[in-house]
Amino acid sequence: MQTFQFALLLLFPALVVVAALKDVASYTIPNWISLALIVAFLPVALISGASLTAAGACLAAGVVALLVGMGMFAAGWIGGGDAKLFAAAVLWLGWPAALPFMLVTGMAGGALTLGILSLRSGWFEPVLAGSPAWIRKLGAPGGDIPYGVAIAIGALATFPQGALALAIGA
């Protein structure tokens, strides 16, 4: 049974990686990714052995993260898809990992922003000219920052500390 539980847990990292790749390629995170994470959470939590109390705490953390994400979206700091992915990630991670997740996501977001701003500085124009279209788009001045990448890095880094991963390990 534990192998099946681990296999179900792979859904989370797989979907956040897909979200990051979609964000880099198109500056959008499709709603189906966040929706799939939300819909899959409770069945995976229960199969993983998380108690209803732990699942409820994860749900509460996800709601708080959604409110925070909505605030960041309203302030223009992140996109709507980023806010939804942020909340869905916290739903899966729960309280044990929510704060480290936000810290790692913030640091990854800062590094990502600095990297993309340096890419857009003009120094890399000769390299960008022969690059694939999605890299040229990243290097185009005035473009957005695909923050889904930072969210995915934070989610992957803190996933082992998350409520569902800990439920299986218990």
Side-chain angles (χ1 to χ4, degrees), residues 11 15 30-41 44 88 91-92:
L11 183 65
L15 286 173
N31 287 333
W32 70 262
I33 295 172
S34 297
L35 186 59
L37 286 168
I38 292 165
V39 168
F41 168 74
V44 171
L91 171 67
W92 276 69

Side-chain angles (χ1 to χ4, degrees), residues 81-113:
D82 300 323
K84 290 177 266 187
L85 181 63
F86 179 80
V90 171
L91 171 67
W92 276 69
L93 296 170
W95 292 121
L99 292 177
F101 164 70
M102 288 187 275
L103 178 66
V104 173
T105 298
M107 291 187 326
L112 176 70
T113 300

Side-chain angles (χ1 to χ4, degrees), residues 24-91:
V24 166
S26 66
Y27 291 107
T28 59
I29 299 172
N31 287 333
W32 70 262
I33 295 172
S34 297
L35 186 59
L37 286 168
I38 292 165
V39 168
F41 168 74
L42 190 56
V44 171
L46 295 177
I47 291 169
S48 299
S51 68
L52 285 177
T53 304
C58 288
L59 182 60
V63 169
V64 169
L66 181 60
L67 294 173
V68 169
M70 288 169 56
M72 290 190 295
F73 172 72
W77 298 341
I78 63 174
D82 300 323
K84 290 177 266 187
L85 181 63
F86 179 80
V90 171
L91 171 67

